[in-house]
Amino acid sequence: MAVGDETEVYVYEQVVILISCALSFFGSILIICTYVVWTDLRTKPRKLLTYLSVADLLSAISYSYGVWRVFESNSWDCILQGAISTFANTSSFFWTVAIAIYLYIFIVSSNQRLADSLVLWFHIISWGIPLGITVAAVCLQKIGYDASEVSVGWCWVSIQAPDHVLWMLLTGKIWEFLAYLTLPILYVLIKKHIHRAHAALSEYRPILASSAVSQSRSSMADRKMTLIPVIFIALRIWSTLRFLLMLLDSPARQSPLLVTLHGIGNTFQGAANCIMFVLFTKPVRARLAAAVCCCCYRATHRGSDASIQDPGSSNGPLRREDVSHRVWGED
């Protein structure tokens, strides 16, 4: 790369990507907190999602520091940030695929024992391989300033390394390509299995008033199976496109729009998972709404101790029973 040919990161790009990092940070925290607080929601897939959220949380923190700093040399914090983001980003790929493999074995093969027995291997692979690759890259001095060739201000593989393309593949891109292939295949197979099972059961299922609710839940689960690989590819494709353009030495890799999309895609995964598995998951969403309503009730109650509320007033604070009825829909 010629001197002075670095990709410029504009202030508005920094602002947008920092917002994306913040959303991903809080989204990952929310996923982790909901798993810790509500013990009855601790299913095995949600536990795996929590591990994925830890990786996404580390990614959001490290990327936000890199975008804020916009490194210009191989400083010590550049190498540290590059090492953390390399480990967290690669681990995120592995955990995303691990969840898909678990769901495939659990749903399609109907073998929960086998699926649960793989969790230990998921830990060894999803933490161990990224850690080994990162340690090797740091020891061989491959992590460093990359002139935002395939980043947005943060550090990754040093662009001055003669074998930087190989290390870009090892520290992320090859696992990203494998995820592109694996996720759609696994989730398509899961969807087909669910459709076949649903069709078989529908022949014997009587028409009940609750069938609409059951169908709504099935439809939501089906949409999630479609959205998981679609959202992953939609977020990550911009990074892949810039990598390919770098290999072709195309100036299009420096396009501000492409750079911004790349920055959002690499940093928004935690927020996307929160939207799908917290905000779009009715039991979790309902409990969050109930918690917020209870907090608002307590704040209102403390602020109105000196006043008398009309029990029949529609503007009065919600009772706990009202919250349960309106949020949970219980009779």
Side-chain angles (χ1 to χ4, degrees), residues 16-172:
V16 170
I17 298 170
L18 284 172
I19 292 173
S20 178
C21 288
L23 292 174
S24 193
F25 175 85
F26 289 112
S28 298
I29 289 290
L30 192 57
I31 291 174
I32 295 170
C33 288
T34 54
Y35 179 81
V36 171
V37 172
W38 293 310
T39 57
D40 57 316
L41 294 178
R42 293 179 185 177
T43 62
K44 192 69 71 172
R46 189 165 286 277
K47 187 175 185 179
L48 299 180
L49 177 65
T50 302
Y51 298 138
L52 170 60
S53 298
V54 172
D56 290 334
L57 181 63
L58 286 175
S59 291
I61 294 172
S62 60
Y63 282 141
S64 62
Y65 182 78
V67 173
W68 173 69
R69 284 276 280 111
V70 185
F71 292 104
E72 297 179 354
S73 63
N74 278 328
S75 58
W76 68 269
D77 54 342
C78 165
I79 296 173
L80 178 61
Q81 179 271 310
I84 294 174
S85 63
T86 296
F87 167 75
N89 197 45
T90 307
S91 180
S92 179
F93 292 152
F94 278 100
W95 277 116
T96 301
V97 175
I99 292 172
I101 294 173
Y102 182 93
L103 291 176
Y104 175 82
I105 296 174
F106 181 74
I107 296 173
V108 178
S109 301
S110 300
N111 193 337
Q112 183 176 358
R113 179 175 295 180
L114 175 60
D116 290 344
S117 69
L118 291 177
V119 172
L120 176 60
W121 288 103
F122 290 156
H123 278 287
I124 294 173
I125 293 172
S126 299
W127 299 125
I129 292 180
L131 181 60
I133 292 173
T134 303
V135 169
V138 172
C139 292
L140 295 174
Q141 299 181 348
K142 303 299 179 181
I143 301 295
Y145 174 62
D146 76 341
S148 294
E149 284 290 277
V150 196
S151 69
V152 189
W154 57 77
C155 290
W156 185 28
V157 175
S158 175
I159 200 67
Q160 300 300 329
D163 53 353
H164 63 274
V165 173
L166 172 62
W167 280 97
M168 285 180 178
L169 289 170
L170 289 175
T171 57

Side-chain angles (χ1 to χ4, degrees), residues 260-299:
T260 303
L261 290 173
H262 175 191
I264 295 173
N266 269 42
T267 58
F268 198 72
Q269 188 66 54
N273 288 337
C274 179
I275 292 170
M276 278 195 296
F277 298 106
V278 175
L279 302 183
F280 283 0
T281 300
K282 189 174 181 180
V284 183
R285 184 176 69 244
R287 294 189 183 199
L288 284 174
V292 171
C293 288
C294 287
C295 289
C296 292
Y297 166 78
R298 291 184 185 126

